[in-house]
Amino acid sequence: MDDMRPIARAASGGPPQIRRLDVARHRRVEGLFDVWLEPRPDGALAALGSAGPALTAKDIADLVRRSGAAGDDVRMLTADGERRASLFREVAAMLGQDVLITPAGADVRHRWLPTEPEAPRDAVAVERAGGNPVDWMVIQPPGLEASLPGWFDLVDGTVQARTGTVALALPGGLALATRADFTARRAAVARLAPGDPDLITVAVTVRSAGFLVGDYRGTQEILTGPALAAALSALPLYGGDLRLWLTWPADPAERVRLAAALVALAEASGATVWTPPVGGTAEILADSGDLRALDAGGAPGRWQDHQPDSDCGGPPRYLSTADGRLLPTTEVIMAGLTAAPRTGMAPTDVPGDEPPGRRPVLAADPQRPAGYGVSWLTDGLPVNTAPVELYVTAPVPPAEVLAGGVPAAELFLIGRPDLAQAAAGRRRGYLFRARVAPGGAVRVTSLDLHVPADLQHLLAQADAYLLPAGRLDRIRLLAAYSLDRASVSTLEQEFDEPAPVWLRCSGARHGVAGLPNDADRWPRARVGRCYALVPVTARALPGGWLPLHREQPGVRDGHWLVELRVPARRAIDVAATADRLGSLPLVRSRAPRLRAAGAALVLPSRAYPRVTVTRRFRPTTQGWVAVPGPSTAVPLSSAVPVSSAVPVSD
């Protein structure tokens, strides 16, 4: 008998009631990945109904990534989630997304509508003592915490999808975001302090010389200047001043087009539009919380105004100061601050080159992306045009990095120009200061459409630069820092000589040790047929991976041969991976050894449940002979042991 209690009236109408969880009738919220968990006798958590081992934070994060939901928020469907907050905080850190949990003393139930008895049911957090609905708790990724709301609305113990344009409230303005950059954008803008009440601030991402806007369905579009003015129509822009928090593109042609779009925005809105200088960006000052402009080299820059034709040319209401702030004219004069002259700029005035500084000066890479060693990078990405120092992370101490390379699941490292930013949110490990020669750092934001969804969390923070494996010869390590649990860095070692860096493939999601996440997959489309040898004495499949053969191998005594049906991209093509990694001399992997041992293909253990056995063969002196068996394919994971005995010959 279902446990029923009335709860607050739902938006859909009718007197809803709460009932026990029913997995078959559960309603999924778009953009929210549900993890079903239950406590084991020892108090640890396991997958619901699995009676399996206790799950670690890495296990849960890997489950989310394997399901293709790395860009989604995660909801833990288990009671008393707050009591395991440290575990779920680690998950949030690994995924870079919000994790929703139940408060202590709360259970998870389903909301049932008598008016829609067969409809899917919403999960609801319910107070165990009183039976009243309670709001879900939101754990934000460490280092990205903010007081601003999350992607979802929390209503009467349920999680509801928001609608409309993704916009976060700012003091005197708003921040436009997308699903891909929401978490990082929220953390960045939350630090902005209130400023002059008449200065409207809008944070927006520039893409293809337009303005990127997302909605809560997860879609996004690029707006022109007039279209952005229409999207901001609720703000009092006409006759006022609009400060845009944006980063200029690296490509000179895109800069010219963006300058034209800014003039069109000013004309359509009737506002004076202020932006950082061409090639620059903006950042929040740590001491005051005010926004300051930075030039292309990372030095304080002067805000540039873009005026509508209707501007009467009167005295400016705001002036850009020498330290990069935008302040009311009266405040600048009274404080005796140095101000820049107010000069307008036409699209044709956009300069193409800027002096170097602490942030990389970027330009479109003229070389083909094949040399990067990263399969999903495209042509024309911005790269550094001058030497720059960046900070990269590693999980192992300096001696191990120098001797064996940086353990990495991907074929790239992530570098950041600021030590504190690189350390933020990390509770252990090491940072290395690296000098990167021109062309070694690629600017790829998590908003770029070609970035795979399961990697966007790595590039979510601002000022993230990708250091691809094919350009590691342009990098030298200068110093190492250790990190403590408070994310505080301590200088460990200054290297006597700049040290080269290489990658050691480790920790990939597929579970095959020594191969990168970006290993070549097989079959490329639909399904493939291959073969595997299984020892007669085997009581279970190997824990890591199973070697596969494209064709029937020679008879091997004491083994069964099974013919397998493998869905697309479930196996790893060792030969193709070894060939590709062979062009990356600073990457150490297991691929050459596997190929030398005759393993052309390997099947990760995580793919076992998806692979089926279509035929079995026993060894004879004349070769393999098919063994009669079920008329339908059986899962590989349930096909071992194949038999208790295997005749060696006829």
Side-chain angles (χ1 to χ4, degrees), residues 141 190 223 365 422 429 489 606:
L223 301 184
D365 191 355
S489 58
R606 291 173 178 172

Side-chain angles (χ1 to χ4, degrees), residues 37 39 45 76-84 88 102-108 128:
L37 301 170
L45 291 176
M76 302 297 174
L77 295 176
T78 188
D80 301 311
E82 185 181 2
R83 292 174 180 163
R84 301 174 178 86
F88 298 138
T102 52
D107 292 321
V108 184
R128 188 176 302 119

